[in-house]
Amino acid sequence: MPNTSGPLVVALLYDGLCTFEFGIVAEIFGLSRPEMGEGWYRYASCAIEPGPLRAHGGFVIQTEDNGHLIDEADLIVAPGWKGAGVPVPQDLVERLRAAHARGARLASICSGAFVLAATGLLDGGVAATHWRYAEALGKAYLDVEVDAASLYREHGRLFTSAGSAAGIDLMIEIVRRDFGPDAANSVARRLVMPAHRSGGQAQFLERPVPRREGAEIAPLLDAIRADPASAWTISRMAEFCRMSDRTFLRRFRDATGLAPGDWIASERVEQAKERLIRGRESVDEIAIALGFGGGHALRHHFRRRLGVSPADYRARFSINA
């Protein structure tokens, strides 16, 4: 374990380990971060069964004899699980219940929600998991309300997250709660990723991967990105592309998957996000600069697409924090 004195984080190891999910926990909590001081997390990987253990990717893990640390941990993370229909060992269930009873937090990534649900501690609460496991989780644990849309959810001292990458967002949120936004932003930057997303956001990509932009439409999209505040009417855009309004609308949707108004609003929100985290302009100033007309419209579109207000987004993710 690192030579620190902070909360002890334990990642559970099991045969058939989900490698990426495990790597998230080890990277965020187990990496040496001397800039964070002596109070930073301690970390251990603890096997729940005898090794050696297989992991996704074709390699084998030789485990250490440190399983007793599960009973001492402040945060226990289940980084995925063997499968929706694979029972969770009763010994592990009892140890997790005991850990929770003494005040420890429990967290899961992706299919790891089945591990937490097996304890009964999620009964009466809401849990997140990858959308492909949501139906199976709901059928297996009828007293758990399954949220197949959100990135992560909290129920008491239990935290569940959706698909693999959402686990990064949840783990960084835990860092934020424990050590504040500066520490969370520092971890996110070291991971070379944008500031993490809030739990209420949808599991799908914030900015969908665009379809291939046809040669007829691409110059227009570049022009809009360069001047988002302009009045981009249908007629103006159609004229730019040298098409009739009707043909333009069809070609635009074919190229982007969106109606022009929706695409422009999404692009303006993306640019607003960059301005919020990198500058000090007010919300109203950003809104006017990007063509929203005023702060009210920007707040509406921001909440609709991201589930948070511009002010909250800046407070969480600003690189000037």
Side-chain angles (χ1 to χ4, degrees):
M1 282 191 295
N3 187 25
T4 52
S5 59
L8 173 59
V9 180
V10 163
L12 302 179
L13 300 177
Y14 51 90
D15 192 48
L17 180 69
C18 296
T19 307
F20 181 59
E21 287 82 349
F22 166 74
I24 291 169
V25 188
E27 172 78 13
I28 291 178
F29 299 108
L31 194 66
S32 176
R33 301 182 190 274
E35 72 276 11
M36 296 298 187
E38 295 182 358
W40 190 246
Y41 297 102
R42 296 170 292 150
Y43 171 81
S45 302
C46 295
I48 65 166
E49 55 192 327
L53 305 175
R54 296 166 298 170
H56 290 181
F59 61 92
V60 175
I61 299 173
Q62 185 64 49
T63 63
E64 297 182 67
D65 185 20
N66 62 356
H68 65 280
L69 292 177
I70 295 175
D71 304 318
E72 303 173 17
D74 299 291
L75 171 64
I76 302 170
V77 184
W81 183 237
K82 302 180 181 186
V86 180
V88 179
Q90 189 59 35
D91 174 68
L92 177 60
V93 168
E94 292 174 0
R95 295 178 76 181
L96 292 178
R97 286 174 179 164
H100 186 266
R102 62 174 169 76
R105 292 171 292 178
L106 309 180
S108 65
I109 301 175
C110 196
S111 56
F114 286 91
V115 177
L116 268 57
T119 67
L121 297 170
L122 283 172
D123 290 358
V126 181
T129 190
H130 192 291
W131 55 266
R132 65 179 296 201
Y133 295 122
E135 183 177 0
L137 184 65
K139 288 181 178 178
Y141 300 98
L142 299 178
D143 293 328
V144 178
E145 180 182 344
V146 180
D147 183 348
S150 297
L151 291 174
Y152 53 85
R153 296 296 300 255
E154 175 184 3
H155 174 61
R157 283 177 282 107
L158 285 83
F159 301 84
T160 51
S161 64
S164 305
I168 300 176
D169 296 297
L170 173 57
M171 299 302 112
I172 294 180
E173 170 64 14
I174 290 173
V175 171
R176 186 189 69 80
R177 294 187 181 204
D178 290 347
F179 291 94
D182 289 351
N185 288 343
S186 176
V187 172
R189 287 197 295 271
R190 187 161 174 179
L191 287 167
V192 195
M193 61 173 286
H196 77 293
R197 300 169 288 178
S198 66
Q201 293 183 40
Q203 292 188 20
F204 305 102
L205 294 174
E206 293 179 36
R207 190 173 191 170
V209 178
R211 302 184 185 185
R212 184 176 180 181
E213 296 171 358
E216 299 166 304
I217 299 295
L220 170 66
L221 302 186
D222 289 340
I224 296 172
R225 292 184 181 112
D227 186 16
S230 217
W232 292 101
T233 63
I234 298 297
S235 296
R236 180 186 174 189
M237 290 186 285
E239 183 179 355
F240 186 101
C241 296
R242 298 184 179 182
M243 301 176 187
S244 68
D245 289 3
R246 183 176 180 180
T247 299
F248 165 74
L249 289 171
R250 184 177 70 254
R251 298 281 178 83
F252 192 96
R253 185 175 287 277
D254 287 344
T256 67
L258 297 171
D262 289 337
W263 187 91
I264 292 171
S266 294
E267 183 60 34
R268 286 170 173 167
V269 167
E270 289 300 320
Q271 294 195 28
K273 288 163 58 179
E274 288 297 312
R275 286 177 179 247
L276 285 165
I277 67 174
R278 297 183 182 280
R280 301 188 183 278
E281 300 167 282
S282 70
V283 171
D284 286 337
E285 288 172 335
I286 293 173
I288 292 171
L290 294 178
F292 280 112
H296 177 75
L298 172 56
R299 293 182 184 94
H300 167 75
H301 285 284
F302 218 86
R303 283 190 176 278
R304 178 185 169 193
R305 286 167 171 77
L306 304 179
V308 295
S309 70
D312 183 50
Y313 188 88
R314 168 174 273 168
R316 288 172 177 259
F317 308 139
S318 175
I319 64 174
N320 297 313

